[in-house]
Amino acid sequence: MPRYDWTHEEVSKIYSQPFPDLLFQAQTVHRENHCPTTIQRSTLLSVKTGGCPENCKYCPQSAHYDTGVERHPVLAKEVVVAKALEAKEQGSTRFCMGAAWREVKDGKDFDKILELVRGVSEIGMEVCCTLGMLNESQATRLKEAGCYAYNHNLDTSPEYYGQIITTRTYEDRLRTLRNVRDAGITVCCGGIVGMGEKVTDRLGLLLELARQDPHPESVPINMLVRVEGTPLSEQAPVDPIDFVRLVATARIVMPKSYVRLSAGRKEMSDEMQALCFVAGANSIFAGEKLLTTANPGEDHDRALVKKLGMQFQSESAVELKVAANA
Ligand code: SAM
Ligand code: DTB
Ligand code: SF4
């Protein structure tokens, strides 16, 4: 059974084991809870891009930095549903729509988003949204429209958070996560590695996640995409072994969650990704683009999974889940 009372000492001990012991423990937990050769795929689409009032130092969509990202208002339903169909045909089981907002505001734009959620859920995909902060009634309306998951990241430890974002607090984020949970939407919550934080901050983030009851169903672990124009563009690259250690630790402390190898895969070797899969990562973002930055394409991922003798999760699994959620 999952535990919710992890301590920093325990998590740190798990993380610091000899690498073979850590990987063995993570694989053991992984096999007890998941198919060890199956990878789930989600496709992202930025349905409202750029001009965000928040000052997240990593983000190309913040209006505080000049990154050359082209802004656009909320996309039309036909455009979004066509993209979702394309993603489904290519084998994605989840479609995640992102908006560069600090928070959802009731009104025309939110009504449009609800339309998009209905449209995508009608084609039989798990719908995920990431729109910034939400209040209780907005979370309920999303759920009623067919939203299956909500992504809202804690990004880093509570201690390091203030170095990265000052326009909203950790508590703001936790409140939105509670609203999502209370509305009966599954939680997708993780963070970013490579923003100058220490190992203890990375573990502090895992601890925050692993002490939630229930655990987030999905835990995206992003490796910072260093975008020119953002304050973090010159950060040192992440040590791949440290990254794999973190994935393995996430798997051990949140045994049933999907651990998603998220942003940054374009800069990861096949070998690093393979180690992440062995360490318990069982989900990726598919397609040429994340929200605004590049991602390995369909062909590359297909070849990698084939080379490893693994397979992508089939659509039948998602249809069962969507039906159970209805
Ligand atoms: N505005 C909403 C919010 O912040 O919740 C939704 C979209 S926001 C782009 C979603 C997540 O993308 C962020 O929480 C962050 O973890 C991740 N992200 C943004 N820029 C990134 C980057 N350059 N590298 C890695 N992850 C990034
Ligand atoms: C998450 O944790 N990673 C995704 C998704 N949730 C929304 C976003 C990554 C964004 C990377 C930068 C970009 O493409 O704009
Ligand atoms: Fe805005 Fe989200 Fe980017 Fe922060 S991460 S600047 S809230 S789009």
Side-chain angles (χ1 to χ4, degrees):
M1 282 308 286
R3 280 180 48 199
Y4 308 100
D5 59 352
W6 295 101
T7 64
H8 204 288
E9 291 65 40
E10 280 178 310
V11 175
S12 173
K13 208 163 153 197
I14 293 171
Y15 177 90
S16 314
Q17 299 176 78
F19 195 68
D21 296 339
L22 173 60
L23 248 59
F24 181 67
Q25 188 183 358
Q27 249 302 294
T28 306
V29 171
H30 192 46
R31 280 168 188 268
E32 282 164 4
N33 293 283
H34 303 270
C35 168
T37 56
T38 302
I39 300 291
Q40 183 273 339
R41 276 177 301 177
S42 299
T43 297
L44 281 168
L45 179 66
S46 181
V47 298
K48 185 273 170 190
T49 307
C52 182
E54 300 281 60
N55 66 358
C56 313
K57 279 192 183 157
Y58 49 76
C59 188
Q61 302 197 67
S62 165
H64 297 256
Y65 322 122
D66 191 4
T67 61
V69 163
E70 242 175 79
R71 301 178 183 191
H72 65 75
V74 179
L75 296 177
K77 183 172 171 184
E78 305 74 62
V79 174
V80 172
V81 172
K83 292 265 187 202
L85 273 171
E86 204 179 294
K88 190 179 183 206
E89 269 157 27
Q90 287 180 349
S92 276
T93 56
R94 176 177 288 196
F95 192 70
C96 179
M97 295 179 273
W101 285 328
R102 168 182 161 75
E103 69 222 320
V104 168
K105 294 194 180 109
D106 292 324
K108 225 170 42 171
D109 276 347
F110 186 44
D111 294 345
K112 278 194 206 159
I113 297 281
L114 295 172
E115 274 302 300
L116 302 183
V117 171
R118 280 186 209 104
V120 177
S121 98
E122 270 163 21
I123 67 166
M125 294 184 88
E126 277 182 11
V127 181
C128 175
C129 291
T130 180
L131 315 167
M133 294 188 273
L134 284 183
N135 64 29
E136 284 168 55
S137 85
Q138 291 162 340
T140 305
R141 290 176 73 196
L142 274 174
K143 167 76 183 175
E144 284 166 3
C147 180
Y148 179 81
Y150 197 81
N151 167 248
H152 202 63
N153 291 338
L154 290 172
D155 284 343
T156 188
S157 67
E159 294 77 21
Y160 196 64
Y161 186 86
Q163 302 292 312
I164 301 298
I165 304 147
T166 59
T167 48
R168 56 171 149 68
T169 64
Y170 218 72
E171 190 42 49
D172 288 334
R173 290 247 127 184
L174 291 169
R175 188 173 330 104
T176 293
L177 291 169
R178 282 195 294 273
N179 292 338
V180 168
R181 183 57 83 199
D182 290 349
I185 300 176
T186 66
V187 171
C188 171
C189 182
I192 308 180
V193 181
M195 305 188 293
E197 73 288 339
K198 302 225 156 45
V199 167
T200 178
D201 295 306
R202 295 175 186 171
L203 298 180
L205 166 70
L206 288 192
L207 200 63
E208 280 293 325
L209 300 170
R211 289 178 68 93
Q212 290 180 12
D213 178 5
H215 292 153
E217 283 75 5
S218 156
V219 178
I221 304 191
N222 296 277
M223 189 173 84
L224 177 72
V225 180
R226 293 166 292 175
V227 179
E228 224 182 291
T230 63
L232 296 182
S233 65
E234 304 284 319
Q235 281 296 320
V238 173
D239 181 297
I241 300 295
D242 288 352
F243 190 89
V244 177
R245 279 186 178 277
L246 196 73
V247 169
T249 308
R251 166 50 66 228
I252 293 164
V253 297
M254 291 172 282
K256 295 197 183 295
S257 305
Y258 276 83
V259 175
R260 191 186 314 275
L261 198 53
S262 302
R265 286 200 304 119
K266 188 104 181 145
E267 295 219 355
M268 293 180 198
S269 65
D270 284 359
E271 293 81 356
M272 178 175 172
Q273 294 189 60
L275 274 176
C276 289
F277 297 147
V278 175
N282 58 349
S283 166
I284 58 172
F285 284 119
E288 303 274 326
K289 214 168 164 196
L290 292 160
L291 290 172
T292 66
T293 65
N295 194 42
E298 172 79 11
D299 294 351
H300 188 101
D301 286 341
R302 209 172 279 286
L304 174 60
V305 159
K306 182 155 183 260
K307 195 155 61 167
L308 298 174
M310 298 175 76
Q311 67 277 325
F312 291 121
Q313 185 178 307
S314 74
E315 281 163 38
S316 54
V318 73
E319 270 148 20
L320 288 175
K321 269 213 268 178
V322 169
N325 187 44

